[in-house]
Amino acid sequence: MIQSTLSTDLIRQPDSQPKESVKPSPQTYVHNRVTKSQPESKRTRSQRARERLRTKEHLATLAGEIHEPELADKLRRCHSRLSVLTCGRHIARVIPNFTCEFRLCPDCGRRRSRKLQNKYLPMMRAFLRHHHVTPVHLVLTQTHRKETRKQSAARIQSSFTKLTRRSFWKDNFKGGTWSLEFTKDKNGLHHAHLHIVGFRRKFFDIELLRSEWLAVTCDSHVLNLKPIQDIAAGLREVVKYVSKPLDIRRFGAEDLKEFLGLKNMRMFGTFGEFRDFCKSFDPSDNDGGEVSELESLSRDLVEGCACPQCSEPLFDLRMSAKELPQFYERIEATPSPPGQKERKQRKNRDRTPLSGAKTR
Ligand SMILES: [Zn+2]
Ligand SMILES: [Zn+2]
């Protein structure tokens, strides 16, 4: 996917402004806006499967270059042979022969982010039921400095901790989750962003939040806030950075080396009252059953079961990772038989964990 990027020269712009000037010119806002990535849903599953293959091959090649043959081998074996449960028109489940669990592996990342969604969505829904709050997606960015990714991550996390201790923040937010994203711009400079699902207590002036962020970072007022209409989609949007913390397309051998040194860096977390809520969450207080049901439904599927989308019997197709995009293409090209109504679940198709090969 095309990552959100910020223009570096514009990021530096606040340096040239007096610090007291909390409100930059309108022009600065336009240029400093965090540009939105191309929505992932616009690409087909076959295109995404091909991209995952390319990403993995790229990573395996880099691993070879930095003399990490084991990692290269693990990446090449991961999801290389697949057992695909299909009715011929839908893919109900994809079972890989082997999973590498490497943090940058796009296949393993998708599984990890699905797990996070299954874990946190019921908690978020329950939290929204219990509290009078509005979920928002907040992106916090910082100015670029010459530093390593580790330093960049530590800097933005420490600014965020400071922000959450301020009374403005406490008055307006009741906690949430954060995830860390790194991007590399055209000039090869790294940027760290924090993507936050925040539970807003009440409406506030965004300029006040900008000035708070500027106060804790000392040099950055760049942020983006939008309300989340659908909490499942909002959470999905944020946890995708757990599976894609970096823009791999611009990734070189040195980047991989640096990333391997970041072993224990946390990429996702909870904060504020939501964090305490999660600790004491009782799963029976749960209307996120939809997700967990689908998850268990998917796990229980075997050859001969009815396709969850059309009820036709499922059969097991064995294929290599390279054949999967072609198979998706065939499925994408197969029109639905006239008059056949697929189940309502289809509505959730983008999200359902019905198969390991689902879009996310
Ligand atoms: Zn993997
Ligand atoms: Zn089907």
Side-chain angles (χ1 to χ4, degrees):
M1 69 165 244
I2 298 165
Q3 301 275 9
S4 307
T5 48
L6 289 165
S7 154
T8 335
D9 35 357
L10 289 162
I11 276 193
R12 285 191 189 129
Q13 205 163 322
D15 288 347
S16 58
Q17 292 173 352
K19 273 185 189 159
E20 296 73 30
S21 147
V22 160
K23 189 168 177 173
S25 72
Q27 194 58 28
T28 315
Y29 284 145
V30 173
H31 288 157
N32 272 334
R33 221 171 42 211
V34 180
T35 51
K36 257 329 274 171
S37 54
Q38 179 192 3
E40 195 139 290
S41 52
K42 277 192 185 158
R43 286 176 305 134
T44 60
R45 286 196 282 172
S46 52
Q47 284 169 334
R48 276 177 283 193
R50 281 213 170 82
E51 194 173 300
R52 286 198 300 277
L53 269 179
R54 274 197 300 270
T55 302
K56 274 166 88 165
E57 190 42 48
H58 179 55
L59 283 171
T61 308
L62 295 180
E65 283 172 24
I66 61 167
H67 309 295
E68 293 280 353
E70 263 174 47
L71 176 59
D73 178 60
K74 257 168 57 178
L75 277 161
R76 288 197 172 107
R77 274 194 298 139
C78 175
H79 281 67
S80 59
R81 302 289 316 167
L82 306 163
S83 161
V84 179
L85 283 180
T86 174
C87 65
R89 292 202 303 122
H90 309 107
I91 293 180
R93 193 180 171 196
V94 174
I95 308 155
N97 59 331
F98 171 74
T99 55
C100 71
E101 306 300 336
F102 181 52
R103 287 173 84 177
L104 296 179
C105 168
D107 285 317
C108 294
R110 282 166 76 234
R111 267 205 353 272
R112 244 191 335 270
S113 81
R114 253 197 316 269
K115 265 191 197 162
L116 281 177
Q117 288 173 58
N118 286 330
K119 179 177 172 186
Y120 285 101
L121 187 55
M123 298 190 204
M124 287 188 162
R125 286 187 168 143
F127 192 76
L128 287 169
R129 261 200 321 280
H130 288 293
H131 301 281
H132 187 70
V133 286
T134 314
V136 294
H137 182 178
L138 171 65
V139 187
L140 296 172
T141 73
Q142 64 186 2
T143 53
H144 168 72
R145 285 183 201 162
K146 280 227 175 306
E147 59 191 355
T148 62
R149 278 200 186 87
K150 197 171 193 165
Q151 289 163 335
S152 178
R155 178 156 64 97
I156 200 164
Q157 279 169 329
S158 126
S159 302
F160 180 57
T161 306
K162 282 182 204 154
L163 181 70
T164 57
R165 286 181 187 149
R166 291 171 75 92
S167 56
F168 175 84
W169 181 270
K170 287 181 187 161
D171 288 349
N172 288 290
F173 284 98
K174 219 179 170 71
T177 67
W178 59 264
S179 36
L180 189 59
E181 180 200 14
F182 287 105
T183 60
K184 201 171 177 183
D185 68 17
K186 283 177 232 131
N187 308 314
L189 302 172
H190 308 302
H191 300 280
H193 301 173
L194 273 181
H195 289 264
I196 289 155
V197 172
F199 295 110
R200 185 171 66 182
R201 295 175 195 265
K202 57 189 181 204
F203 187 81
F204 56 82
D205 181 357
I206 186 81
E207 297 313 323
L208 294 174
L209 182 57
R210 275 186 214 283
S211 60
E212 288 286 311
W213 184 236
L214 180 63
V216 293
T217 58
C218 299
D219 59 6
S220 179
H221 60 270
V222 182
L223 53 83
N224 186 298
L225 185 139
K226 61 177 186 202
I228 291 173
Q229 308 296 344
D230 169 6
I231 189 65
L235 175 62
R236 194 163 65 226
E237 168 90 16
V238 163
V239 299
K240 79 179 178 202
Y241 299 108
V242 176
S243 60
K244 292 175 194 165
L246 302 157
D247 187 354
I248 308 284
R249 290 167 312 158
R250 295 200 180 114
F251 214 62
E254 280 310 305
D255 295 300
L256 181 58
K257 217 173 196 171
E258 193 191 345
F259 186 82
L260 290 175
L262 298 181
K263 255 179 195 141
N264 300 317
M265 187 191 283
R266 286 189 65 201
M267 307 297 280
F268 179 88
T270 52
F271 64 88
E273 283 179 47
F274 182 63
R275 170 191 262 169
D276 304 328
F277 184 85
C278 292
K279 281 184 194 152
S280 56
F281 178 67
D282 173 4
S284 64
D285 178 15
N286 175 14
D287 72 350
E290 202 184 357
V291 170
S292 1
E293 272 163 33
L294 286 168
E295 178 77 347
S296 59
L297 188 73
S298 153
R299 267 202 303 271
D300 296 342
L301 286 175
V302 290
E303 190 164 27
C305 284
C307 167
Q309 283 171 281
C310 70
S311 302
E312 290 294 309
L314 296 172
F315 51 93
D316 185 355
L317 269 184
R318 302 294 165 105
M319 63 181 77
S320 72
K322 292 198 170 102
E323 290 165 313
L324 185 66
Q326 286 162 10
F327 188 67
Y328 275 133
E329 250 163 25
R330 259 178 47 204
I331 286 201
E332 282 153 11
T334 313
S336 298
Q340 174 145 22
K341 281 255 157 58
E342 288 173 9
R343 287 197 204 166
K344 207 184 150 204
Q345 280 164 350
R346 223 189 135 166
K347 189 181 79 173
N348 298 320
R349 172 170 68 173
D350 278 349
R351 171 183 71 204
T352 71
L354 277 176
S355 82
K358 279 285 175 189
T359 49
R360 30 180 76 189

